[in-house]
Amino acid sequence: MKKNNKNWKEKLHEVIYEADTPAGKLFDVVLLIAIIASIVLVMLESVPSIGKEHGELLNISEWIITILFTIEYIVRIISIKKPSKYIFSFYGVIDLLSTLPKYLAIFFTGTHSLVALRALRLLRVFRILKLARFIGESNNFMKALRASKAKIAVFLFFVLILCVILGTVMYLIEGGENGFTSIPRSVYWAIVTLTTVGYGDIAPHTPLGQFVASIIMILGYGIIAVPTGIVSSEMVKVNDIDLNTQSCPSCSYEGHNDSAVFCNQCGGKLHE
Amino acid sequence: MKKNNKNWKEKLHEVIYEADTPAGKLFDVVLLIAIIASIVLVMLESVPSIGKEHGELLNISEWIITILFTIEYIVRIISIKKPSKYIFSFYGVIDLLSTLPKYLAIFFTGTHSLVALRALRLLRVFRILKLARFIGESNNFMKALRASKAKIAVFLFFVLILCVILGTVMYLIEGGENGFTSIPRSVYWAIVTLTTVGYGDIAPHTPLGQFVASIIMILGYGIIAVPTGIVSSEMVKVNDIDLNTQSCPSCSYEGHNDSAVFCNQCGGKLHE
Amino acid sequence: MKKNNKNWKEKLHEVIYEADTPAGKLFDVVLLIAIIASIVLVMLESVPSIGKEHGELLNISEWIITILFTIEYIVRIISIKKPSKYIFSFYGVIDLLSTLPKYLAIFFTGTHSLVALRALRLLRVFRILKLARFIGESNNFMKALRASKAKIAVFLFFVLILCVILGTVMYLIEGGENGFTSIPRSVYWAIVTLTTVGYGDIAPHTPLGQFVASIIMILGYGIIAVPTGIVSSEMVKVNDIDLNTQSCPSCSYEGHNDSAVFCNQCGGKLHE
Amino acid sequence: MKKNNKNWKEKLHEVIYEADTPAGKLFDVVLLIAIIASIVLVMLESVPSIGKEHGELLNISEWIITILFTIEYIVRIISIKKPSKYIFSFYGVIDLLSTLPKYLAIFFTGTHSLVALRALRLLRVFRILKLARFIGESNNFMKALRASKAKIAVFLFFVLILCVILGTVMYLIEGGENGFTSIPRSVYWAIVTLTTVGYGDIAPHTPLGQFVASIIMILGYGIIAVPTGIVSSEMVKVNDIDLNTQSCPSCSYEGHNDSAVFCNQCGGKLHE
């Protein structure tokens, strides 16, 4: 009964914003394919040999996807009750930015500023953020990242200070003739080394420099344990709290497992 | 008594599928040696100097091992009650694939398609998966890997999105003259950098590029703490449940907390 | 009333040493900007092209910042009750070292010892340690680092011993013709490899050397789990104690378990 | 009284095997310096320029340290009740190996086998294992390493299987012309990549190869979380057990803190 009363706007909303109907699931799958295809297109276009040979094909495919995304954007605005809420949300802005560049490219064909044009075209790569919808807000990993944000930030800040000091020391030891031509470059090298990336484009040549480099590497190898430990303990704490949400109606004890039916302290039944 | 009644099929089954009899242990050791020897053979064959000089010896050894594996495969089918269950299991398929390539190579000697032939020969390397039997299903590490699969997948998906965006940004900053000739190549570089591998075959040369690269490295160094934290807390949770070895005398349920006095499933008192 | 009684010294102290008044916050922001600007200045000065072109501008900016830091140093001494306590504290020494180099540079202009002069100038980079004030003593990360110091040190000591032995082995295997010209250099290479930095400036060329290198890499990849595990468990322990915020009504002791009913110090009952 | 009764053997034993007397502490410090000096000597000797110039000085220093170690070895044997127990212990063997090479070198001066001679001389580097005494058996890190040994071994075994398969796949994709000349070499490359070392001496050149390499890197970056998680949870479990060693004499409850004086369940006093 209730379902029949729904007008087309409500039906559209269900298809687009929810994933629990067959139509909603189909919409999600089509959207997912379109996003991935669109990213692959941007990538292929940038490969010189492919870009030149199949330019026309890529252009047509781009237009098809852009039109699809435009339709999606318009339908999302129509089917929601408060369009402004969607338009200015994170997803609304991303959706708009996903379609605009291709349209703007029409007006800028005559431009001489190649960098601006290229930047404009590459904006399309941010369509990948549309995938964020599929990872979902409620995801454990995102929660962990958000909970540990401040701690990781302090850690990275600490790493940066260390790199500035160590980079300067290496600049003094090695000097310009060994590739350490300036402090910013030496700091860049210190970051490359401390994070254990190690390109090898700049490498110490003097024995003292190699000694200091060894210390930096061992430091970088050792201190990674600290943020990991903090995040782990944070996660354990979150888990502990997750387990203890229901309290026994008889004795108010709260340390129950998720699957508990009876209180493990007084044996009374739990309301779940 | 019971043991004497066993027919040869049951005895074979005991030797091959179980490891608690002396014969079963011996079988396992022989199998282990044969697998490792077979992998070493495939490897040595691929070394140009060894492959040419000792080609005949390697070929004979290969045939010996192939025949051994064929016998093992046939015996496994004979000794089990439902052969189809084994044949289509993970191990059954691997065992078949371990013997086939050598036999197929007889028929394909005249083929001109070298790549197909080489691929066929290299299929033998998958024999290493036969070792999976020795790691065992019940292993803690495998359990951890399976439990964390979804979380690690989301993390890696997140890393990929990050790499696509950062790779595109670097493509714009550095451009083709510094090695960032296309977006796929730049994304490849971003992955090399974020995962702290750092080959150095492509490296940023502009100051701005080195600045962005530093950010990518520090990000890669910092966010590794997040999946580690999630898996750690997951493991702690699993361990907590593992510790509760007591089972309820009324309903035999085993998932109790350490401090539980009553069964949380049936409300019966626990003997501790 | 109380506030009006404060003399100018107390007011200054509040502004400089505390951050909970608007003036105190403003002071902190200005200080933060001055520190970062000063670090950027030292860095830019070291870039040959910028150093030559804008030398005069950089010099003037340096003097402005040096004078600002001098004022800060003097005001900090004046506004504190026991100046000696500040002067010989970690921050006092850092603050002094932040201003001295520029003044000393006046007297050493005629010096021929370029390295000493350069070292003197670069001392200014340690101003970045003034940022330590903003990370704060009470920070979780610093606590974790301090708590795990001993454990990480033992781990790094263990890594060093491993690197000395493995480096010597590689020196024997590869020899001088492949870049392993001496034991210190081989140990340096072992550290580069075990910490997964991997510059590639020195790399094994013999099959045996590559085999040993593989073992070192896999070791390095595996043992990183150990310090991480120790720090994680340490943090979980700290968190557990952190969670017990209830204090005993009899003796005010606060280190209770979650499940505690009686105080574990005086035996008095706890109100929960 | 008791102390005076001690004969010189007991006194020696106290000095050498225990560290709680002033003489014992002094002995430890001298030993530590001698070990480190001896390692530095071996290292310096291997540097061509230093080895030639200061050869005589290094030789004399070596003899002094060797004689010191010989005396230590003899005294250790004399002062212990059961010399055979020490001689065949880990430390006994290491102590013997630390002194022998120098003596053996006298007899082998005429040998033409340079590699054997070099290997013999380098054996002295294992003196660094004498440092193991200072890390101590009871150390937390060593305990963690021992507890996680099996798990890390399975993990590394899993990594090896992965590297063999991925290396073979890359051998097929890239082929000899891009540096992947044989399967062992490709497996070596896969290990270099998966462990995030990344020398860059071998790097994929084909787009498909770079794609597979990206997958390997991301895998390597992701699965490191698994052993870390296992070790962390293991450590947390060990810590939990560490806390629960004393049980209340009144109610036998065992979940007490280290600092607990009274039982937190019944309020009874704990025997500590």
Side-chain angles (χ1 to χ4, degrees):
Chain A
M1 275 295 183
K2 228 180 170 181
K3 242 187 174 156
N4 292 338
N5 289 342
K6 278 182 184 173
N7 60 22
W8 61 272
K9 265 197 187 180
E10 277 170 343
K11 274 179 191 162
L12 255 181
H13 186 274
E14 213 175 76
V15 170
I16 293 169
Y17 288 93
E18 281 155 55
D20 45 9
T21 59
K25 272 175 196 158
L26 184 71
F27 175 80
D28 275 4
V29 170
V30 171
L31 185 61
L32 189 66
I33 293 168
I35 294 168
I36 290 168
S38 116
I39 297 300
V40 170
L41 276 177
V42 177
M43 285 189 162
L44 290 180
E45 211 183 302
S46 78
V47 181
S49 60
I50 298 175
K52 274 176 197 157
E53 219 172 303
H54 307 284
E56 200 52 37
L57 188 71
L58 292 173
N59 192 31
I60 293 166
S61 315
E62 258 299 326
W63 273 114
I64 293 171
I65 281 168
T66 303
I67 289 163
L68 277 176
F69 283 173
T70 311
I71 295 170
E72 186 213 346
Y73 187 66
I74 293 167
V75 169
R76 274 189 193 272
I77 291 177
I78 292 173
S79 68
I80 208 167
K81 276 179 190 161
K82 289 186 186 168
S84 65
K85 209 180 155 188
Y86 162 70
I87 291 169
F88 298 107
S89 74
F90 172 73
Y91 293 123
V93 172
I94 291 296
D95 287 354
L96 184 64
L97 285 176
S98 300
T99 51
L100 268 187
K102 197 70 192 168
Y103 292 115
L104 287 174
I106 308 175
F107 304 106
F108 287 87
T109 41
T111 320
H112 297 286
S113 153
L114 273 167
V115 172
L117 194 66
R118 208 166 75 172
L120 192 70
R121 275 211 314 251
L122 293 184
L123 259 180
R124 288 173 298 154
V125 105
F126 286 96
R127 284 175 187 161
I128 207 168
L129 290 176
K130 284 166 83 91
L131 288 176
R133 262 199 198 93
F134 297 95
I135 300 188
E137 285 284 323
S138 63
N139 184 276
N140 231 355
F141 168 68
M142 286 297 159
K143 257 197 274 177
L145 196 65
R146 212 164 299 131
S148 331
K149 221 170 43 187
K151 271 139 193 179
I152 291 179
V154 172
F155 172 66
L156 297 184
F157 185 61
F158 173 82
V159 164
L160 256 181
I161 291 180
L162 214 65
C163 285
V164 169
I165 292 173
L166 292 170
T168 308
V169 169
M170 284 301 281
Y171 169 66
L172 196 67
I173 293 172
E174 291 276 327
E177 61 274 21
N178 290 322
F180 294 75
T181 49
S182 68
I183 296 185
R185 202 172 151 81
S186 299
V187 171
Y188 163 71
W189 171 86
I191 293 173
V192 169
T193 300
L194 193 85
T195 58
T196 75
V197 171
Y199 282 134
D201 52 347
I202 317 168
H205 290 96
T206 63
L208 185 58
Q210 292 182 339
F211 180 73
V212 174
S214 301
I215 293 171
I216 299 178
M217 285 170 221
I218 286 184
L219 262 179
Y221 187 62
I223 57 173
I224 187 71
V226 175
T228 310
I230 296 175
V231 175
S232 295
S233 73
E234 195 74 1
M235 288 297 97
V236 169
K237 207 159 66 179
V238 168
N239 269 347
D240 280 358
I241 293 163
D242 275 4
L243 280 171
N244 302 336
T245 46
Q246 53 182 342
S247 73
C248 172
S250 315
C251 72
S252 304
Y253 185 78
E254 283 189 337
H256 302 299
N257 279 338
D258 280 345
S259 58
V261 179
F262 292 89
C263 173
N264 62 32
Q265 293 297 310
C266 70
K269 195 151 194 181
L270 297 168
H271 302 167
E272 201 169 353
Chain B
M1 273 295 182
K2 228 178 170 184
K3 245 189 174 155
N4 294 337
N5 288 342
K6 279 183 183 172
N7 61 22
W8 61 272
K9 265 198 186 180
E10 277 170 341
K11 274 180 192 161
L12 254 180
H13 186 272
E14 214 175 74
V15 169
I16 293 169
Y17 289 93
E18 281 155 54
D20 45 9
T21 59
K25 272 175 195 160
L26 184 72
F27 175 80
D28 275 5
V29 170
V30 171
L31 186 62
L32 189 66
I33 292 167
I35 294 169
I36 290 169
S38 116
I39 297 299
V40 170
L41 275 177
V42 177
M43 284 190 162
L44 289 180
E45 209 183 303
S46 79
V47 181
S49 61
I50 298 174
K52 274 174 197 158
E53 219 172 303
H54 307 283
E56 200 52 38
L57 188 71
L58 292 173
N59 191 32
I60 293 166
S61 315
E62 258 298 328
W63 273 113
I64 294 170
I65 281 169
T66 303
I67 289 163
L68 277 177
F69 283 172
T70 312
I71 295 169
E72 186 213 347
Y73 187 65
I74 293 167
V75 170
R76 275 190 192 272
I77 291 177
I78 292 172
S79 67
I80 208 166
K81 276 179 190 161
K82 289 186 187 169
S84 66
K85 209 181 155 189
Y86 163 70
I87 291 169
F88 299 106
S89 75
F90 172 74
Y91 293 122
V93 173
I94 290 296
D95 287 353
L96 184 65
L97 285 176
S98 302
T99 51
L100 269 187
K102 197 69 192 167
Y103 293 113
L104 287 174
I106 307 175
F107 304 106
F108 287 86
T109 41
T111 320
H112 297 287
S113 154
L114 273 168
V115 173
L117 194 67
R118 207 166 75 172
L120 191 69
R121 275 210 315 250
L122 294 183
L123 258 180
R124 288 172 298 153
V125 105
F126 285 97
R127 285 174 188 164
I128 206 168
L129 289 175
K130 285 167 81 92
L131 288 177
R133 261 198 199 94
F134 297 95
I135 300 189
E137 287 284 324
S138 64
N139 183 276
N140 231 356
F141 169 68
M142 285 298 159
K143 257 197 274 177
L145 197 64
R146 212 165 298 132
S148 332
K149 220 171 45 187
K151 269 137 193 181
I152 290 178
V154 172
F155 172 67
L156 297 183
F157 185 61
F158 173 82
V159 164
L160 257 181
I161 291 180
L162 214 65
C163 285
V164 169
I165 293 173
L166 292 170
T168 308
V169 169
M170 284 301 281
Y171 169 66
L172 196 68
I173 292 172
E174 290 277 326
E177 61 273 22
N178 291 323
F180 295 76
T181 49
S182 67
I183 295 185
R185 202 170 153 82
S186 299
V187 170
Y188 163 71
W189 171 86
I191 294 172
V192 169
T193 301
L194 193 84
T195 58
T196 76
V197 172
Y199 282 134
D201 52 347
I202 318 168
H205 290 95
T206 63
L208 184 59
Q210 292 183 339
F211 180 73
V212 174
S214 300
I215 292 171
I216 299 178
M217 286 170 219
I218 286 185
L219 261 178
Y221 187 63
I223 58 175
I224 186 71
V226 175
T228 310
I230 295 175
V231 176
S232 295
S233 75
E234 195 76 0
M235 287 298 98
V236 170
K237 208 160 67 180
V238 168
N239 269 349
D240 279 358
I241 293 162
D242 277 4
L243 278 173
N244 308 317
T245 48
Q246 56 178 339
S247 71
C248 171
S250 317
C251 71
S252 305
Y253 185 79
E254 283 189 338
H256 302 300
N257 278 338
D258 280 345
S259 58
V261 181
F262 293 90
C263 173
N264 62 31
Q265 292 298 309
C266 70
K269 196 151 192 182
L270 298 167
H271 302 165
E272 198 166 353
Chain C
M1 277 294 182
K2 227 180 172 180
K3 246 192 171 150
N4 292 337
N5 290 341
K6 279 182 183 172
N7 60 22
W8 60 272
K9 267 198 184 181
E10 277 169 343
K11 274 179 193 162
L12 254 181
H13 186 275
E14 214 176 74
V15 170
I16 293 169
Y17 288 92
E18 280 155 55
D20 43 10
T21 58
K25 272 175 195 160
L26 184 71
F27 175 80
D28 276 6
V29 170
V30 171
L31 186 61
L32 189 66
I33 293 168
I35 294 169
I36 290 169
S38 115
I39 296 300
V40 170
L41 275 177
V42 178
M43 285 189 161
L44 290 180
E45 209 183 304
S46 78
V47 181
S49 60
I50 298 174
K52 275 175 197 157
E53 219 171 305
H54 307 284
E56 200 52 37
L57 188 72
L58 292 172
N59 192 32
I60 293 166
S61 315
E62 258 298 327
W63 272 114
I64 293 170
I65 281 169
T66 303
I67 288 163
L68 276 176
F69 283 172
T70 312
I71 294 170
E72 186 213 347
Y73 187 65
I74 294 167
V75 169
R76 275 189 193 271
I77 291 177
I78 292 173
S79 67
I80 209 166
K81 277 179 190 162
K82 289 186 185 167
S84 65
K85 210 182 156 186
Y86 162 70
I87 291 169
F88 298 107
S89 74
F90 172 73
Y91 294 123
V93 173
I94 290 297
D95 287 352
L96 185 64
L97 286 176
S98 301
T99 51
L100 268 187
K102 198 68 192 168
Y103 292 114
L104 287 173
I106 308 174
F107 305 106
F108 287 88
T109 41
T111 320
H112 296 287
S113 153
L114 273 168
V115 173
L117 194 67
R118 207 166 76 173
L120 192 70
R121 274 212 313 252
L122 292 183
L123 259 180
R124 287 173 298 154
V125 105
F126 285 96
R127 286 174 188 164
I128 206 168
L129 290 176
K130 285 166 82 91
L131 288 176
R133 261 197 198 95
F134 297 95
I135 300 188
E137 286 285 323
S138 63
N139 183 276
N140 230 354
F141 168 68
M142 286 297 159
K143 257 197 274 178
L145 196 65
R146 213 164 298 133
S148 331
K149 220 169 48 187
K151 270 138 194 180
I152 290 179
V154 172
F155 171 66
L156 297 184
F157 185 61
F158 173 83
V159 165
L160 257 181
I161 291 181
L162 214 67
C163 285
V164 169
I165 292 174
L166 292 170
T168 308
V169 169
M170 284 301 282
Y171 169 68
L172 198 66
I173 293 172
E174 291 276 326
E177 60 274 20
N178 291 323
F180 295 76
T181 49
S182 69
I183 296 185
R185 202 171 151 82
S186 299
V187 171
Y188 164 71
W189 171 86
I191 293 173
V192 168
T193 301
L194 194 85
T195 58
T196 76
V197 170
Y199 283 135
D201 52 347
I202 317 168
H205 289 96
T206 64
L208 185 58
Q210 292 182 340
F211 180 73
V212 174
S214 300
I215 292 171
I216 300 177
M217 286 170 221
I218 286 184
L219 262 178
Y221 188 62
I223 57 175
I224 186 71
V226 175
T228 309
I230 296 175
V231 176
S232 295
S233 74
E234 195 75 1
M235 287 297 97
V236 170
K237 209 160 65 180
V238 168
N239 270 347
D240 280 359
I241 294 164
D242 276 4
L243 278 172
N244 309 316
T245 47
Q246 54 179 340
S247 72
C248 171
S250 316
C251 71
S252 304
Y253 185 79
E254 283 189 337
H256 302 299
N257 279 338
D258 279 346
S259 58
V261 180
F262 293 90
C263 172
N264 62 32
Q265 291 299 309
C266 69
K269 196 152 193 180
L270 297 169
H271 303 167
E272 199 168 354
Chain D
M1 274 296 182
K2 227 179 172 179
K3 249 195 169 146
N4 294 336
N5 290 341
K6 278 181 182 171
N7 60 24
W8 60 273
K9 265 197 187 182
E10 277 169 344
K11 275 179 192 161
L12 254 181
H13 186 274
E14 215 176 74
V15 170
I16 293 169
Y17 288 93
E18 281 155 54
D20 45 9
T21 60
K25 272 174 196 160
L26 185 72
F27 175 79
D28 276 5
V29 170
V30 171
L31 185 61
L32 189 66
I33 293 168
I35 295 168
I36 290 169
S38 115
I39 297 300
V40 170
L41 275 177
V42 178
M43 284 189 163
L44 289 181
E45 209 182 302
S46 78
V47 181
S49 60
I50 298 174
K52 274 175 197 158
E53 219 171 303
H54 308 283
E56 200 53 37
L57 187 72
L58 292 172
N59 192 31
I60 293 166
S61 315
E62 258 298 327
W63 273 113
I64 293 171
I65 281 170
T66 303
I67 289 163
L68 276 176
F69 283 173
T70 312
I71 295 170
E72 186 213 347
Y73 186 66
I74 294 167
V75 170
R76 275 188 192 273
I77 291 177
I78 292 172
S79 67
I80 209 167
K81 277 179 189 160
K82 291 187 184 168
S84 65
K85 210 180 156 188
Y86 163 70
I87 292 168
F88 298 108
S89 73
F90 171 75
Y91 294 123
V93 172
I94 290 296
D95 286 353
L96 185 64
L97 286 176
S98 301
T99 51
L100 269 187
K102 197 70 193 167
Y103 292 115
L104 287 173
I106 306 174
F107 305 106
F108 287 88
T109 42
T111 320
H112 296 287
S113 153
L114 273 169
V115 173
L117 194 68
R118 206 165 77 171
L120 191 70
R121 274 211 313 251
L122 293 184
L123 259 180
R124 287 172 298 153
V125 105
F126 285 96
R127 285 174 188 164
I128 207 168
L129 290 175
K130 285 166 82 90
L131 288 176
R133 261 198 199 96
F134 297 95
I135 300 189
E137 286 284 324
S138 63
N139 183 275
N140 231 354
F141 169 69
M142 286 297 159
K143 257 197 274 178
L145 197 65
R146 213 165 297 132
S148 332
K149 221 171 45 188
K151 269 137 194 181
I152 290 178
V154 172
F155 172 67
L156 297 183
F157 185 60
F158 173 82
V159 165
L160 257 181
I161 291 181
L162 214 66
C163 285
V164 169
I165 293 173
L166 292 170
T168 308
V169 169
M170 283 302 280
Y171 170 66
L172 197 68
I173 293 172
E174 290 276 326
E177 61 273 21
N178 291 322
F180 295 77
T181 49
S182 68
I183 294 185
R185 201 169 153 81
S186 299
V187 171
Y188 163 71
W189 171 86
I191 293 173
V192 169
T193 301
L194 195 84
T195 57
T196 76
V197 170
Y199 283 135
D201 52 347
I202 318 167
H205 289 96
T206 63
L208 185 58
Q210 292 183 339
F211 180 73
V212 174
S214 300
I215 292 171
I216 299 178
M217 286 171 221
I218 286 185
L219 261 178
Y221 187 62
I223 57 175
I224 186 70
V226 175
T228 309
I230 296 175
V231 176
S232 295
S233 74
E234 196 75 0
M235 288 297 98
V236 170
K237 208 160 66 182
V238 168
N239 269 347
D240 279 0
I241 293 162
D242 275 6
L243 279 171
N244 301 336
T245 47
Q246 53 182 344
S247 73
C248 172
S250 318
C251 71
S252 303
Y253 185 79
E254 284 189 338
H256 301 299
N257 279 339
D258 281 346
S259 58
V261 180
F262 292 90
C263 172
N264 62 31
Q265 293 295 311
C266 71
K269 194 151 192 180
L270 298 168
H271 303 164
E272 199 168 352

